[in-house]
Amino acid sequence: MTDLPIAAITRVAKNSGAERVGSDASALIVQKTEDYLGKLVKEAVKLAAHAGRKTLKEEDIEMAAENLA
């Protein structure tokens, strides 16, 4: 069970240039996206905690994305 809707992921893929997207490809894109989001948020939580905050801010997400790149 995934948290992201497969139809939305398929739409993003098509808007990014894919003419057709198979159901197996959509499912894998969802899985990989959720894995990345999990890592991104965990890193952002560490950064927010280091700054003494519980609330994630845009700057935490930006820095976390840079750290994961």
Side-chain angles (χ1 to χ4, degrees), residues 15-29:
N15 289 340
S16 297
E19 190 170 321
R20 297 175 66 187
V21 183
S23 60
D24 56 338
S26 292
L28 185 58
I29 293 169

Side-chain angles (χ1 to χ4, degrees), residues 13-54:
K14 287 183 177 183
N15 289 340
S16 297
E19 190 170 321
R20 297 175 66 187
V21 183
S23 60
D24 56 338
S26 292
L28 185 58
I29 293 169
V30 167
Q31 178 188 351
K32 296 292 185 182
T33 302
E34 287 183 352
D35 290 347
Y36 176 76
L37 286 173
K39 291 175 186 175
L40 179 68
V41 171
K42 283 180 184 178
E43 182 66 22
V45 167
K46 288 179 192 176
L47 294 168
H50 181 72
R53 292 182 277 104
K54 291 183 179 180

Side-chain angles (χ1 to χ4, degrees), residues 36 39-40 43-44 46-47 59-69:
Y36 176 76
K39 291 175 186 175
L40 179 68
E43 182 66 22
K46 288 179 192 176
L47 294 168
E59 62 203 42
D60 301 322
I61 302 299
E62 289 288 345
M63 288 177 66
E66 288 177 15
N67 291 347
L68 291 177

